[in-house]
Amino acid sequence: MKSVYRKANSIGLRPVHLKQLSLAANDSSQCCTLRRELNFKSSYGLAPRRILKRSPQRYEVRNASTSTAGIAELKQTQLYDLHLSRGAKMVPFSGFSMPLQYEDLSHVDSHKWTRERASLFDVSHMVQHHLSGPGALRLLIKITPSSLDKLPNNQSTLSCLVENGTGGIVDDTVITHLGNESFYFVTNAGRREEDLAFLTAEIEAMRKENGEDYIKWEVLADHALLALQGPLAAPVLQSFIHAKGENSASTDLSTLYFGQCRSLYLRLLDGSKTAYPLLISRTGYTGEDGFEISVPAKGARSLPVRVAELLLSNSDEVRFAGLAARDSLRLEAGMCLYGHDITTAHTPPVASLGWVVGKDRRDASSASFNGASIILPQLLSPSKYLTQRRVGFIVEKGAPAREGAVVVDLNDESKPQIGVITSGLPSPSLGGTNIAMGYIKQGMHKKGTEVGVIVRNKLRKASVTGMPWVENKFYRAGS
């Protein structure tokens, strides 16, 4: 692999090292590297790991490539016991014991269930934040390139935290403007320590200049986060909305569109309503219509379990889904996985995420967000300032192209490397068609370009394609 890295670096491409797999809102499955032990066909072509169970919360993680072993304490989400009772296969993931899949559905069946009905994902390992105060907007305007000052109340947007100087992506995030100097945002579990350090430094710098009360920041560690995804998500959730005494318009989910949120009560199985209104956002990481539900557990520790049991109460409509299905769904939807498809080595334009840069923030003379001096020229003149781009691929039949597979130029007899695969798998929704995401040399990124991919030491034909492979079904106004 060292030769692969040398070739990649020579053209500005970076195959992702195993040590960089701090995964994410968007996390998916580093746990899929356990495929041999779990008889699961992984989404990744990484070295398998042997997980030796020592206790319910202690595992020894041994990489196949090394003889050293590390002991790590795994955290548990509020739904841990519920997962076990439902036959979950639990694996280490971003410091948590998380469900890979469940005994009632295979990975592929669970994937298809989500596309056809609805699945419930426990994403409580994600880091939820609340930011408020007179400096909240100023902070977000500095550390992201998005036009958050134009974001209406109760509206969300996907954005990126970017490094100062380099413009590299620290993490991808969904930011919600709650109103009146108040924002809610979610970051990736695998980037927890890096994100907290990044945010702390930026916040303390502003507090030093403007006082402690200028920015108030709270990590909502007691909140669970549930994602209900699929075509039945809306009617299922609507049936549990507690509408008694509430404004009927606000409790009607047909008027809640993609990217919007509301705080609503749910009617639980015993007929009572939730102790608190729950922040319900119409969003998700599967490409399907769906919702993410933030559930506070403080003062009502059983509430996340009760909400999950409510949503799972009709097994003909909703079932639990794990990290395996979450990963294949997000890839079909063309969504990035931090630590694989995006890292600090990638700016938003390099990662084909230039659209997160607000149109009114593209004036180099007035732009003041982190990395603007790098990002804006890349947007203005990509042929001059970009050496690579994130694209999709369709690979010919046979073994799929996994992460780290080298992309080569078929038109050159020496077959030089021009790219690298960052995610890849046989698409369950497309009958096993091999799809992949990765980076390719600038100028070779146009749709239809034929390339080669080295899979298991064999040259395989592939072509550059647009993303997503499966059309997104987000619920928008007029749909």
Side-chain angles (χ1 to χ4, degrees):
M1 290 298 292
K2 290 182 178 178
S3 62
V4 172
Y5 295 143
R6 283 196 296 267
K7 291 179 180 178
N9 289 333
S10 69
I11 58 170
L13 296 163
R14 286 186 57 186
V16 181
H17 295 256
L18 296 181
K19 292 182 180 179
Q20 294 176 323
L21 303 186
S22 53
L23 310 184
N26 300 358
D27 286 334
S28 190
S29 57
Q30 86 191 62
C31 49
C32 290
T33 62
L34 308 176
R35 61 195 183 282
R36 293 184 182 176
E37 290 75 15
L38 303 176
N39 294 319
F40 171 71
K41 293 184 178 179
S42 167
S43 301
Y44 303 110
L46 303 178
R49 289 173 155 189
R50 290 162 49 203
I51 301 298
L52 309 177
K53 192 170 183 180
R54 296 296 182 88
S55 72
Q57 297 185 53
R58 186 180 289 272
Y59 293 77
E60 178 179 343
V61 182
R62 187 184 300 276
N63 288 322
S65 59
T66 178
S67 60
T68 60
I71 300 297
E73 292 289 343
L74 296 178
K75 298 177 184 178
Q76 298 173 356
T77 73
Q78 295 92 333
L79 303 187
Y80 178 82
D81 290 335
L82 182 60
H83 292 310
L84 294 183
S85 71
R86 298 289 180 123
K89 187 176 292 184
M90 306 297 287
V91 295
F93 178 70
S94 293
F96 284 79
S97 182
M98 294 294 290
L100 176 67
Q101 61 188 84
Y102 298 80
E103 62 184 13
D104 62 334
L105 292 174
S106 70
H107 161 225
V108 171
D109 288 338
S110 183
H111 177 111
K112 292 181 177 179
W113 184 281
T114 310
R115 293 278 187 235
E116 296 167 2
R117 301 186 191 186
S119 292
L120 183 66
F121 299 83
D122 178 13
V123 289
S124 304
H125 61 308
M126 304 289 284
V127 188
Q128 301 179 67
H129 310 253
H130 181 238
L131 196 69
S132 60
L137 177 60
R138 181 186 166 196
L139 172 75
L140 293 173
I141 287 292
K142 179 181 185 297
I143 64 177
T144 80
S146 301
S147 298
L148 297 175
D149 55 331
K150 305 294 192 300
L151 194 64
N153 291 350
N154 298 315
Q155 184 80 39
S156 304
T157 185
L158 177 66
S159 190
C160 295
L161 306 180
V162 288
E163 284 185 326
N164 195 18
T166 69
I169 300 173
V170 175
D171 203 356
D172 54 324
T173 180
V174 175
I175 302 174
T176 302
H177 184 201
L178 298 176
N180 191 28
E181 301 179 342
S182 179
F183 293 86
Y184 165 83
F185 62 104
V186 180
T187 55
N188 290 310
R191 293 291 289 171
R192 180 184 178 91
E193 298 306 318
E194 293 86 351
D195 289 347
L196 295 186
F198 171 80
L199 290 166
T200 297
E202 293 282 1
I203 289 172
E204 288 305 316
M206 286 195 176
R207 283 176 173 171
K208 185 176 181 180
E209 178 185 346
N210 300 280
E212 286 295 314
D213 293 334
Y214 190 61
I215 298 174
K216 297 178 182 179
W217 173 38
E218 181 183 7
V219 177
L220 306 176
D222 64 320
H223 284 51
L225 190 62
L226 307 178
L228 182 65
Q229 300 282 292
L232 295 185
V236 166
L237 184 58
Q238 183 67 71
S239 69
F240 298 129
I241 298 293
H242 182 89
K244 186 176 180 180
E246 303 286 341
N247 184 313
S248 60
S250 68
T251 58
D252 181 2
L253 296 181
S254 70
T255 61
L256 183 68
Y257 301 110
F258 176 73
Q260 295 180 342
C261 68
R262 286 180 193 158
S263 291
L264 299 170
Y265 290 93
L266 297 184
R267 175 178 45 78
L268 299 170
L269 289 174
D270 63 3
S272 66
K273 72 175 182 178
T274 52
Y276 310 99
L278 311 182
L279 182 64
I280 298 175
S281 305
R282 199 152 198 167
T283 185
Y285 191 51
T286 64
E288 293 292 328
D289 181 27
F291 305 85
E292 290 190 353
I293 306 168
S294 181
V295 186
K298 186 176 181 180
R301 298 195 63 80
S302 65
L303 186 57
V305 173
R306 296 177 73 190
V307 171
E309 290 177 333
L310 174 71
L311 298 173
L312 293 165
S313 58
N314 186 340
S315 61
D316 290 333
E317 296 178 331
V318 183
R319 293 191 185 182
F320 259 140
L323 295 169
R326 183 170 166 84
D327 185 49
S328 53
L329 289 160
R330 71 91 193 168
L331 182 54
E332 288 183 347
M335 297 180 180
C336 295
L337 175 63
Y338 198 94
H340 292 254
D341 309 304
I342 49 176
T343 71
T344 52
H346 306 116
T347 63
V350 170
S352 297
L353 296 173
W355 53 268
V356 305
V357 183
K359 291 182 179 179
D360 62 325
R361 309 205 69 196
R362 301 187 180 198
D363 184 350
S365 64
S366 60
S368 57
F369 60 86
N370 288 355
S373 62
I374 302 295
I375 293 171
L376 294 182
Q378 291 177 342
L379 282 176
L380 182 64
S381 184
S383 61
K384 180 179 180 180
Y385 291 100
L386 294 183
T387 59
Q388 56 175 315
R389 298 233 190 148
R390 181 176 65 91
V391 298
F393 301 91
I394 290 181
V395 184
E396 66 179 339
K397 290 183 179 180
R402 305 293 191 182
E403 179 180 14
V406 171
V407 181
V408 300
D409 186 353
L410 289 178
N411 296 318
D412 189 320
E413 290 185 2
S414 65
K415 303 295 186 293
Q417 180 179 354
I418 56 171
V420 64
I421 301 298
T422 54
S423 292
L425 48 68
S427 165
S429 299
L430 301 178
T433 297
N434 290 326
I435 63 174
M437 183 188 297
Y439 287 84
I440 197 167
K441 184 179 179 181
Q442 167 69 26
M444 303 287 287
H445 63 281
K446 295 182 179 179
K447 295 178 185 178
T449 301
E450 294 186 351
V451 297
V453 181
I454 307 300
V455 179
R456 298 180 182 176
N457 296 319
K458 293 183 179 180
L459 179 63
R460 306 284 302 287
K461 292 182 179 180
S463 60
V464 176
T465 185
M467 296 181 284
W469 292 271
V470 175
E471 183 180 359
N472 293 334
K473 302 177 184 66
F474 301 136
Y475 180 73
R476 303 181 187 275
S479 62

